[in-house]
Amino acid sequence: MTPGALWIITMSGICIVIQSSVTAVHLRNMEHFITAVTHLEDLNPGLSPLALVTSLRKIADQSDSLTHDLVGSSDNRGDIHYETNSFITEQMNINHNLSNFLDEVTHHFITNDHDQRGVVLTPDGTTVALAPLLLGLEYGLRANKASNQPHGFHLLPLAKYLGMSFLQFGNATPPQRLGLDGCWDSVSAPMVFTLSGVPSLATDALVHGGMDGAILGKHLSVVNSSEVNLSTLLRSYYLGTMEELDHDLSTHLRGRYRRENFKKITNVSLLQEKVADALHSHQQKGDLGVESLMEKGIKDFMLRYMECPAIIPRCMWGAAPPLVPLNPLSPPLPFLYIHHTAIPSKPCRSLQMCSKNMRAMQHFHQKGRGWYDIGYSFVVGSDGYIYEGRGWMSVGAHTKGHNTVGYGVAFIGNYTAHLPAQYDMELVHHHLVKCGVSNGFLQENFTILGHRQVVAGTGCPGESLYSEITTWEHYKL
């Protein structure tokens, strides 16, 4: 059977799958994209992972100039390019519905209304742009076939977006070199992702896709390429549950651990070098002004995505609005107060359960306690994420008599007899506090206290957790 015939069968098969549910054509989630990849593989067993991912990347309409530099004079000649170009032509002419589906979920752009297209929602609540992810996968597979892997090749897709954003927004006041994030119209049936303001050229979704592409691309460059199955890799990375994990970051490639895994494959100097390489194609390398913007941009990137933890915004967990406008804080503040929720007593291990807990807490605080909003500044799930409560800038209702001078951080669960997971505790005392100090929300010499230390009559945050925080830096009697 010819490659063209195989592709026709593939397109027809996926159209049947997609058209079996009308909403599946429109939903922008990672599960549906991985389902499409799975059927491509099932119906084309002879199709190489490189041919498949190159085809998808071309549908995303990504420039291939950097890929040309990567491939160079390697053994990977024009056969893959010819094959995939032929496939795309067949697809566009024969299967319009599938063409639209793949184009809509991979082709990245931002509308005048700040709707970001070409992004998908993952089960853990992260929004990821597929274009840089696909480019990173392709780079990894090409490097696998090359005799010598180009130094830092895995960072190039991300570096391209970072470099252009640094140039475009480097002199903005305040600087908007990175971000923004946004909100989906529906978490259960996502269709439209709207950014929360004027975006940079490196939105959170593009950065997430670039980081994932770097992590998975680096992985693909060193494994046995004959045993690679893209859908299996993507399913494990994005769809794995917390019950399947043991928090061993050295062996588990999981999307929820992208920041930790990304740290292992990069450093400031290497990332800066790759951003400079990306800018070189725009004749900007060597310009002192550009070098200064690049250094500032990399510093911002490291703070935002390496030092600070991932925080699930209110819109993602379904927060109701405050009953009245909240009073503003005047940071930097001198205190951080540690709590546990006690009820619910069990830790939450998924976006769905943690979000349900957050909504229940907010309802109880507003209706049962008569507060204007959920009381805590931040809440820690056991799913690898921190959830936004009142945030850094609004006075909370967490530590009576002390709400204007400190932030309240609660761990979901009852920690009288046992501790939260080590990873979850590190999110707070290694990352959240460092993020707060670096961004000017916490004083450099801030103090960590347990709720019980400043409010009489409470055992919060539980005997075990309180005993643990007495060992943390910045804790004081």
Side-chain angles (χ1 to χ4, degrees), residues 397-410:
H398 46 78
T399 311
K400 187 175 181 180
H402 299 77
N403 293 311
T404 61
V405 295
Y407 298 101
V409 178

Side-chain angles (χ1 to χ4, degrees), residues 9 48 70 80 128 152 156 173 207 274 282 284 318 372 379 391 408 424 428 465 471:
I9 294 173
S48 72
L70 171 69
I80 293 296
V128 174
L156 284 172
T173 304
V207 171
K274 294 300 108 179
H282 297 274
Q284 300 288 349
Y372 299 145
V379 178
D424 301 329
V428 176
L465 182 53
T471 68

Side-chain angles (χ1 to χ4, degrees), residues 307-363:
E307 293 184 14
C308 292
I311 296 176
I312 302 294
R314 291 170 63 95
C315 61
M316 288 298 298
W317 60 263
L323 299 179
V324 300
L326 301 176
N327 292 326
L329 287 168
S330 299
L333 304 186
F335 294 100
L336 186 80
Y337 304 110
I338 302 297
H339 300 249
H340 72 165
T341 62
I343 299 175
S345 61
K346 294 182 178 180
C348 62
R349 296 176 64 82
S350 69
L351 173 70
Q352 291 74 21
M353 183 55 67
C354 293
S355 296
K356 182 179 180 180
N357 290 166
M358 292 294 291
R359 293 191 296 271
M361 277 188 278
Q362 184 187 37
H363 182 268

Side-chain angles (χ1 to χ4, degrees), residues 447-467:
T447 297
I448 290 178
L449 296 172
H451 185 197
R452 63 172 66 184
Q453 290 178 265
V454 290
V455 176
T458 178
C460 181
E463 290 296 332
S464 292
L465 182 53
Y466 177 67
S467 179

Side-chain angles (χ1 to χ4, degrees), residues 289-308:
V290 170
E291 295 291 336
S292 176
L293 292 177
M294 184 173 63
E295 290 178 6
K296 293 176 182 177
I298 294 295
K299 182 178 180 181
D300 287 350
F301 173 85
M302 298 304 291
L303 170 60
R304 184 180 179 104
Y305 298 102
M306 297 292 94
E307 293 184 14
C308 292

